Amino acid sequence: MSDSTKGTEVPSYFLCPISLEIMKDPVILSTGITYDRESIDKWLSTKENVTCPLTKQPLTDIELTPNHTLRRLIQSWCTINAPFGIERFPTPRLPISKSQILKLLQDSKSPNLQMKCLRRLKTIAMENDMNKRSMEAVGAADYLAYIIANPSEVSNVDEAVSLLYHLHVSQNGLKALFGKSDEFVEALTRIMQCGASFESRTYAILLLKSMYEAAEPIQVMAVKVKFFNTLKQILLNPISRKATKAALKLLIGVCPWGRNKLKAVEAGIVSVVIETLLDCDEKRISEMLLMVIDQLCMCADGRAELLKHGAGLAIVFKNIFRISQVATKTAVKIIYSVAKFSGNKNVVQDMLQLGVVGKLCLVLQVNCGNKTSEKAKEILMMHARIWKKSSCIPCHLISSYPS
């Protein structure tokens, strides 16, 4: 109950069962329970399995019916209690209906009206989450995917990509879009690479990221080398920070599956990620770049590419203690992969001369987490015969070298 209602007796049926505040816009769920629109909107938008908060019944229909009678009672009560400082809630504007959305979708099939309808639909989607869910329920996502995969006007495609992103399609909806047609995914990949605007390219990347996160493993394993080539171009020629982060999240998400590591290495991702890391001054992006290297170093070709790059091992080593604990942990994991699986005589000597060994001894002295310390210790033990007696390790660190 809000402070403004203190000193007055509020009828219990005026209160929203979720927030226990007086309802400003009472609406009825299909279960027959009345809630405040804003509260039930928040509940439904944060629940993967949509249920009625009170009855716990699953909701097959999330249509909210305005409870006009209860709203008028609440407004009358507010007016009567105005002397106690209670303000009358204004009559809310009726939300868009599914029939109105369907009419706009139908009208947008006319080439002359398509852009106007898409812009109107975007305005509706941006108003609230319930509108987004209503649009998805009547098939707006499928229709937008069709426009994107079968372009007539470039500007219309850009608007469709933007609208589809702002719909925030559900996980099930994203999975359905992914499985609908290869043409749609390929169209988004094309837009990601050479869309008409930076904005549409960014939205295409973000959509693909969400779709791959929702996709089945077999779909993720089917990624082609040209997809990684496109992501490489995004990193080489950044569109925006948001786009760069989305591209890196895509790489981190798809690389563990099937032969995707090899495809990424074949596309030249390793050298591009190293070059990007050399010039990066943003914490989160640096962390994600290291995560990509870590993923790719889990295969022999990835480690070979890292070692072939003149600055590969050095930039990984440099990021221990430099950015964050996450970066330190990831850098140690990369060095572990190299030391364990690619630690030939030359690599071992390079690590010694770069100062990697001394830095690993320091990891043992500083609280970097048990797993990171264990990995550092194991690396040092692997090549102790060569490293332990080296003059390259500072005296104050050699004491922490594991026996």
Side-chain angles (χ1 to χ4, degrees), residues 317 320 335 348-362 392-394 397:
F317 152 70
I320 297 177
I335 293 170
V348 170
Q349 286 298 329
D350 285 347
M351 292 172 80
L352 188 60
Q353 290 170 8
L354 283 169
V356 172
V357 182
K359 191 69 77 79
L360 290 173
C361 289
L362 187 58
C392 294
I393 306 175
L397 293 176

Side-chain angles (χ1 to χ4, degrees), residues 260-308:
N260 287 348
K261 293 184 188 70
L262 292 173
K263 296 173 192 173
V265 173
E266 183 183 336
I269 292 290
V270 176
S271 61
V272 171
V273 169
I274 292 168
E275 294 294 331
T276 307
L277 187 57
L278 284 166
D279 297 327
C280 186
D281 58 0
E282 185 173 330
K283 174 185 168 182
R284 184 55 188 151
I285 291 179
S286 296
E287 289 173 346
M288 287 192 288
L289 288 164
L290 285 166
M291 289 176 190
V292 173
I293 297 173
D294 178 38
Q295 288 281 354
L296 300 183
C297 280
M298 290 180 188
C299 69
D301 290 356
R303 294 190 296 274
E305 287 296 308
L306 175 72
L307 295 170
K308 187 166 72 175

Side-chain angles (χ1 to χ4, degrees), residues 119-329:
R119 286 176 175 166
R120 173 62 184 141
L121 286 165
K122 185 177 178 181
T123 300
I124 292 167
M126 299 293 278
E127 285 179 357
N128 55 61
D129 290 338
M130 183 55 70
N131 285 354
K132 293 182 179 72
R133 289 193 294 274
S134 295
M135 289 175 70
E136 182 178 349
V138 298
D142 290 340
Y143 177 62
L144 293 169
Y146 176 81
I147 293 176
I148 294 164
N150 302 274
S152 55
E153 295 287 338
V154 172
S155 56
N156 291 7
V157 171
D158 284 356
E159 197 67 34
V161 170
S162 175
L163 173 53
L164 186 55
Y165 169 74
H166 285 102
L167 270 186
H168 298 149
V169 179
S170 66
Q171 289 290 297
N172 288 336
L174 289 168
K175 197 175 290 188
L177 283 177
F178 202 114
K180 194 164 290 293
S181 69
D182 292 339
E183 289 78 11
F184 173 55
V185 176
E186 288 178 5
L188 281 179
T189 305
R190 277 197 308 274
I191 295 166
M192 177 173 74
Q193 184 176 20
C194 53
S197 68
F198 283 169
E199 186 180 63
S200 63
R201 292 176 67 190
T202 299
Y203 289 146
I205 298 169
L206 292 167
L207 276 169
L208 282 168
K209 179 186 78 70
S210 298
M211 288 169 61
Y212 273 106
E213 287 172 350
E216 298 292 343
I218 194 167
Q219 294 172 312
V220 182
M221 287 188 277
V223 174
K224 298 174 183 176
V225 173
K226 67 178 182 180
F227 177 79
F228 291 104
N229 278 318
T230 302
L231 290 176
K232 180 178 75 173
Q233 292 304 316
I234 298 293
L235 296 177
L236 283 171
N237 304 292
I239 302 168
S240 64
R241 288 186 176 184
K242 185 184 282 189
T244 297
K245 287 180 179 178
L248 290 171
K249 285 180 181 177
L250 254 175
L251 282 169
I252 294 165
V254 302
C255 279
W257 298 96
R259 294 175 55 82
N260 287 348
K261 293 184 188 70
L262 292 173
K263 296 173 192 173
V265 173
E266 183 183 336
I269 292 290
V270 176
S271 61
V272 171
V273 169
I274 292 168
E275 294 294 331
T276 307
L277 187 57
L278 284 166
D279 297 327
C280 186
D281 58 0
E282 185 173 330
K283 174 185 168 182
R284 184 55 188 151
I285 291 179
S286 296
E287 289 173 346
M288 287 192 288
L289 288 164
L290 285 166
M291 289 176 190
V292 173
I293 297 173
D294 178 38
Q295 288 281 354
L296 300 183
C297 280
M298 290 180 188
C299 69
D301 290 356
R303 294 190 296 274
E305 287 296 308
L306 175 72
L307 295 170
K308 187 166 72 175
H309 194 289
L313 202 53
I315 191 60
V316 172
F317 152 70
K318 185 180 178 182
N319 279 285
I320 297 177
F321 298 130
R322 177 172 170 258
I323 302 172
S324 66
Q325 193 164 345
V326 171
T328 296
K329 175 185 174 182

Side-chain angles (χ1 to χ4, degrees), residues 59-75:
L59 299 173
T60 54
D61 182 8
I62 56 171
E63 190 80 34
L64 301 179
T65 305
N67 191 332
H68 296 298
T69 302
L70 181 57
R71 175 181 53 77
R72 292 190 189 102
L73 282 172
I74 293 171
Q75 287 176 324

